[in-house]
Amino acid sequence: MPEVTISLGGSDEELAIFGSRDQYLRLVRDAFGVKILPRHGVVRIEGDVERVEQARQVVEVLRDLYRRQQPINVGVVTESIESIQTPDTSEPSDTIELREGNRVVRPRSDGQNRYLKALRDFELVFCVGPAGTGKTYLAVAMAVSALRRGKIKKIVLVRPAVEAGEHLGFLPGDLEAKINPYLRPLLDALHDLMDYEQIRRYISNDLIEIAPLAYMRGRTLNDAIIILDEGQNATIPQMKMFLTRMGQNARIVVTGDVTQVDLPPSSTSGLADAVDRLRVVPGVGTVFLDKSDIVRHPLVQAIVNAYESAEPVKEGGSRAAAAASDHPPPAGSAASG
C-alpha cells in the first residue's frame, strides 16, 4: 500500500498540527479516506496514491503555517482540505477563493479581471478608477487569500490621513481613536471578507496592520502585501517614501481616484505623478477602471454619469434654484429659507 512519511519538529508542532485529541488529523483522514498514523515526531499516511498525496499536501501546509507562526484551527484545516480537493481549474487571475464558508470572490467586469491579472503578475500595481469599481476590495481580498495560503506573513493596509473636503478638527480619544475614521474603509473591506474574531486575532498577532501613511517612514516590509488606499491624496514625496518601503517577497498595491483629490490646490497628487513616472519600469502594472466597472448599487453608476456629463454650475446659482424659479410656489404657500 502506498505511503508517505512526514517529519515534524517536536511536541509543540505535533500538537498544533494534530489538534486536540488528533481532531485535525481526523478531518484530513475522513476527507481523503486515508489511514494516518502519528508516531513520535513523524506522520505516516497510507492509502490510494492520489489520496495520500493530497493528504500529504494538507499536512505540509499546516506544518508550514505553524513554522510561520500563523494560527491553526478547524477553519484553517477545513480551508486547506477544500483547496486541495477542489483545485482552481480556471485562470488564477479569474477567481479569488477565500475559504470563508461558501464565499467566493470573482471579478465582475473585464476591468476587474485585468486588475486581478495585474495583481497576480506584477510586484507593484497601480489601480486608478472611480468610486465603486472594487479597487480596494479586490486588493484586500487578494491579500487575505495570500495570507491564508501562507504566501506572505503580513498584510499592511495604509491610508493618507486627509479629510475629504471637511475639517474635522481635533478628534477625541487616544491615537487609535483619532485615526480610526480615516482607516474605516479598509476595515469595512476586511469585515466583508472575514469575521470579527478572525480580524481581531490577525491584528493582535500582527498578521494584519492598519496604519496611516505617515507611519510608513523608515520601515522595510518583507514577506508582505502593502496596500495604499486613496493614493491620490498622497503627495509626491509621500508616494516616493511609501513605494520605497518594499522589501523581499513584498508586493505593493496603490489604489485611488484621480478625480477626487483632497490635497490643497498647490499640491500635486502623488498617484498621478507615480503612474506617469513609473509607466515604463519593469515589474510595474497599471490598470485603469472606468464607470463600466462600477459594482456598487446601480445608482452609483448613474450618479457618476450625472457628474461627468453635467455642465458646471454657474457662480451664484444652481440648477435646483433655476428649476424653482421656473415653478414658483402657489399663492399662500410658505417658502423655506
Side-chain angles (χ1 to χ4, degrees), residues 129-146:
T133 50
K135 303 182 299 294
T136 303
Y137 185 88
L138 290 177
V140 172
M142 181 70 82
V144 170
S145 178

PDB file of all heavy atoms in Angstrom, residues 129-146:
ATOM      1  N   GLY A 129      -9.364  54.455 -10.719  1.00  0.00           N
ATOM      2  CA  GLY A 129     -10.740  54.358 -11.205  1.00  0.00           C
ATOM      3  C   GLY A 129     -11.703  55.041 -10.271  1.00  0.00           C
ATOM      4  O   GLY A 129     -11.359  55.399  -9.142  1.00  0.00           O
ATOM      5  N   PRO A 130     -12.950  55.216 -10.710  1.00  0.00           N
ATOM      6  CA  PRO A 130     -13.950  55.918  -9.896  1.00  0.00           C
ATOM      7  C   PRO A 130     -14.441  55.078  -8.726  1.00  0.00           C
ATOM      8  O   PRO A 130     -14.115  53.887  -8.601  1.00  0.00           O
ATOM      9  CB  PRO A 130     -15.076  56.177 -10.901  1.00  0.00           C
ATOM     10  CG  PRO A 130     -14.948  55.083 -11.905  1.00  0.00           C
ATOM     11  CD  PRO A 130     -13.477  54.818 -12.032  1.00  0.00           C
ATOM     12  N   ALA A 131     -15.241  55.704  -7.881  1.00  0.00           N
ATOM     13  CA  ALA A 131     -15.806  55.017  -6.716  1.00  0.00           C
ATOM     14  C   ALA A 131     -16.644  53.831  -7.156  1.00  0.00           C
ATOM     15  O   ALA A 131     -17.335  53.873  -8.172  1.00  0.00           O
ATOM     16  CB  ALA A 131     -16.665  56.002  -5.912  1.00  0.00           C
ATOM     17  N   GLY A 132     -16.571  52.748  -6.363  1.00  0.00           N
ATOM     18  CA  GLY A 132     -17.446  51.601  -6.601  1.00  0.00           C
ATOM     19  C   GLY A 132     -16.924  50.579  -7.576  1.00  0.00           C
ATOM     20  O   GLY A 132     -17.636  49.634  -7.924  1.00  0.00           O
ATOM     21  N   THR A 133     -15.678  50.714  -8.033  1.00  0.00           N
ATOM     22  CA  THR A 133     -15.145  49.762  -9.011  1.00  0.00           C
ATOM     23  C   THR A 133     -14.414  48.587  -8.357  1.00  0.00           C
ATOM     24  O   THR A 133     -13.874  47.745  -9.066  1.00  0.00           O
ATOM     25  CB  THR A 133     -14.195  50.479  -9.992  1.00  0.00           C
ATOM     26  OG1 THR A 133     -13.241  51.247  -9.256  1.00  0.00           O
ATOM     27  CG2 THR A 133     -14.976  51.417 -10.909  1.00  0.00           C
ATOM     28  N   GLY A 134     -14.369  48.536  -7.038  1.00  0.00           N
ATOM     29  CA  GLY A 134     -13.760  47.400  -6.349  1.00  0.00           C
ATOM     30  C   GLY A 134     -12.251  47.485  -6.221  1.00  0.00           C
ATOM     31  O   GLY A 134     -11.600  46.465  -5.967  1.00  0.00           O
ATOM     32  N   LYS A 135     -11.696  48.690  -6.355  1.00  0.00           N
ATOM     33  CA  LYS A 135     -10.229  48.838  -6.297  1.00  0.00           C
ATOM     34  C   LYS A 135      -9.664  48.322  -4.975  1.00  0.00           C
ATOM     35  O   LYS A 135      -8.745  47.502  -4.954  1.00  0.00           O
ATOM     36  CB  LYS A 135      -9.846  50.314  -6.472  1.00  0.00           C
ATOM     37  CG  LYS A 135     -10.349  50.975  -7.735  1.00  0.00           C
ATOM     38  CD  LYS A 135      -9.880  52.407  -7.858  1.00  0.00           C
ATOM     39  CE  LYS A 135     -10.354  53.323  -6.738  1.00  0.00           C
ATOM     40  NZ  LYS A 135     -11.813  53.528  -6.726  1.00  0.00           N
ATOM     41  N   THR A 136     -10.220  48.823  -3.882  1.00  0.00           N
ATOM     42  CA  THR A 136      -9.722  48.439  -2.550  1.00  0.00           C
ATOM     43  C   THR A 136     -10.150  47.024  -2.202  1.00  0.00           C
ATOM     44  O   THR A 136      -9.357  46.217  -1.702  1.00  0.00           O
ATOM     45  CB  THR A 136     -10.236  49.425  -1.497  1.00  0.00           C
ATOM     46  OG1 THR A 136      -9.827  50.743  -1.846  1.00  0.00           O
ATOM     47  CG2 THR A 136      -9.703  49.079  -0.112  1.00  0.00           C
ATOM     48  N   TYR A 137     -11.400  46.698  -2.464  1.00  0.00           N
ATOM     49  CA  TYR A 137     -11.959  45.408  -2.069  1.00  0.00           C
ATOM     50  C   TYR A 137     -11.171  44.248  -2.681  1.00  0.00           C
ATOM     51  O   TYR A 137     -10.797  43.295  -1.990  1.00  0.00           O
ATOM     52  CB  TYR A 137     -13.426  45.340  -2.483  1.00  0.00           C
ATOM     53  CG  TYR A 137     -14.137  44.100  -2.015  1.00  0.00           C
ATOM     54  CD1 TYR A 137     -14.747  44.060  -0.768  1.00  0.00           C
ATOM     55  CD2 TYR A 137     -14.207  42.962  -2.817  1.00  0.00           C
ATOM     56  CE1 TYR A 137     -15.401  42.922  -0.326  1.00  0.00           C
ATOM     57  CE2 TYR A 137     -14.853  41.827  -2.391  1.00  0.00           C
ATOM     58  CZ  TYR A 137     -15.457  41.808  -1.147  1.00  0.00           C
ATOM     59  OH  TYR A 137     -16.096  40.675  -0.717  1.00  0.00           O
ATOM     60  N   LEU A 138     -10.897  44.320  -3.986  1.00  0.00           N
ATOM     61  CA  LEU A 138     -10.201  43.220  -4.644  1.00  0.00           C
ATOM     62  C   LEU A 138      -8.755  43.119  -4.180  1.00  0.00           C
ATOM     63  O   LEU A 138      -8.212  42.014  -4.052  1.00  0.00           O
ATOM     64  CB  LEU A 138     -10.263  43.383  -6.162  1.00  0.00           C
ATOM     65  CG  LEU A 138     -11.645  43.164  -6.786  1.00  0.00           C
ATOM     66  CD1 LEU A 138     -11.597  43.430  -8.280  1.00  0.00           C
ATOM     67  CD2 LEU A 138     -12.158  41.746  -6.519  1.00  0.00           C
ATOM     68  N   ALA A 139      -8.120  44.260  -3.915  1.00  0.00           N
ATOM     69  CA  ALA A 139      -6.746  44.218  -3.410  1.00  0.00           C
ATOM     70  C   ALA A 139      -6.700  43.566  -2.028  1.00  0.00           C
ATOM     71  O   ALA A 139      -5.830  42.728  -1.748  1.00  0.00           O
ATOM     72  CB  ALA A 139      -6.166  45.633  -3.356  1.00  0.00           C
ATOM     73  N   VAL A 140      -7.630  43.947  -1.155  1.00  0.00           N
ATOM     74  CA  VAL A 140      -7.681  43.350   0.181  1.00  0.00           C
ATOM     75  C   VAL A 140      -8.015  41.857   0.083  1.00  0.00           C
ATOM     76  O   VAL A 140      -7.434  41.027   0.794  1.00  0.00           O
ATOM     77  CB  VAL A 140      -8.701  44.088   1.070  1.00  0.00           C
ATOM     78  CG1 VAL A 140      -8.900  43.362   2.402  1.00  0.00           C
ATOM     79  CG2 VAL A 140      -8.250  45.524   1.332  1.00  0.00           C
ATOM     80  N   ALA A 141      -8.944  41.503  -0.807  1.00  0.00           N
ATOM     81  CA  ALA A 141      -9.303  40.094  -0.974  1.00  0.00           C
ATOM     82  C   ALA A 141      -8.109  39.265  -1.426  1.00  0.00           C
ATOM     83  O   ALA A 141      -7.865  38.164  -0.910  1.00  0.00           O
ATOM     84  CB  ALA A 141     -10.448  39.962  -1.985  1.00  0.00           C
ATOM     85  N   MET A 142      -7.350  39.776  -2.385  1.00  0.00           N
ATOM     86  CA  MET A 142      -6.170  39.057  -2.843  1.00  0.00           C
ATOM     87  C   MET A 142      -5.147  38.911  -1.721  1.00  0.00           C
ATOM     88  O   MET A 142      -4.519  37.857  -1.560  1.00  0.00           O
ATOM     89  CB  MET A 142      -5.547  39.800  -4.028  1.00  0.00           C
ATOM     90  CG  MET A 142      -4.324  39.135  -4.619  1.00  0.00           C
ATOM     91  SD  MET A 142      -4.710  37.593  -5.493  1.00  0.00           S
ATOM     92  CE  MET A 142      -5.231  38.258  -7.080  1.00  0.00           C
ATOM     93  N   ALA A 143      -4.978  39.957  -0.925  1.00  0.00           N
ATOM     94  CA  ALA A 143      -4.016  39.910   0.176  1.00  0.00           C
ATOM     95  C   ALA A 143      -4.441  38.903   1.238  1.00  0.00           C
ATOM     96  O   ALA A 143      -3.612  38.127   1.745  1.00  0.00           O
ATOM     97  CB  ALA A 143      -3.863  41.305   0.789  1.00  0.00           C
ATOM     98  N   VAL A 144      -5.719  38.899   1.599  1.00  0.00           N
ATOM     99  CA  VAL A 144      -6.223  37.945   2.592  1.00  0.00           C
ATOM    100  C   VAL A 144      -6.033  36.519   2.088  1.00  0.00           C
ATOM    101  O   VAL A 144      -5.628  35.623   2.835  1.00  0.00           O
ATOM    102  CB  VAL A 144      -7.703  38.223   2.915  1.00  0.00           C
ATOM    103  CG1 VAL A 144      -8.301  37.100   3.753  1.00  0.00           C
ATOM    104  CG2 VAL A 144      -7.850  39.552   3.648  1.00  0.00           C
ATOM    105  N   SER A 145      -6.317  36.299   0.802  1.00  0.00           N
ATOM    106  CA  SER A 145      -6.140  34.970   0.224  1.00  0.00           C
ATOM    107  C   SER A 145      -4.683  34.526   0.309  1.00  0.00           C
ATOM    108  O   SER A 145      -4.388  33.386   0.680  1.00  0.00           O
ATOM    109  CB  SER A 145      -6.608  34.988  -1.237  1.00  0.00           C
ATOM    110  OG  SER A 145      -6.415  33.732  -1.846  1.00  0.00           O
ATOM    111  N   ALA A 146      -3.759  35.435  -0.019  1.00  0.00           N
ATOM    112  CA  ALA A 146      -2.332  35.088   0.044  1.00  0.00           C
ATOM    113  C   ALA A 146      -1.886  34.807   1.476  1.00  0.00           C
ATOM    114  O   ALA A 146      -1.097  33.892   1.722  1.00  0.00           O
ATOM    115  CB  ALA A 146      -1.505  36.228  -0.560  1.00  0.00           C
TER     116      ALA A 146
END
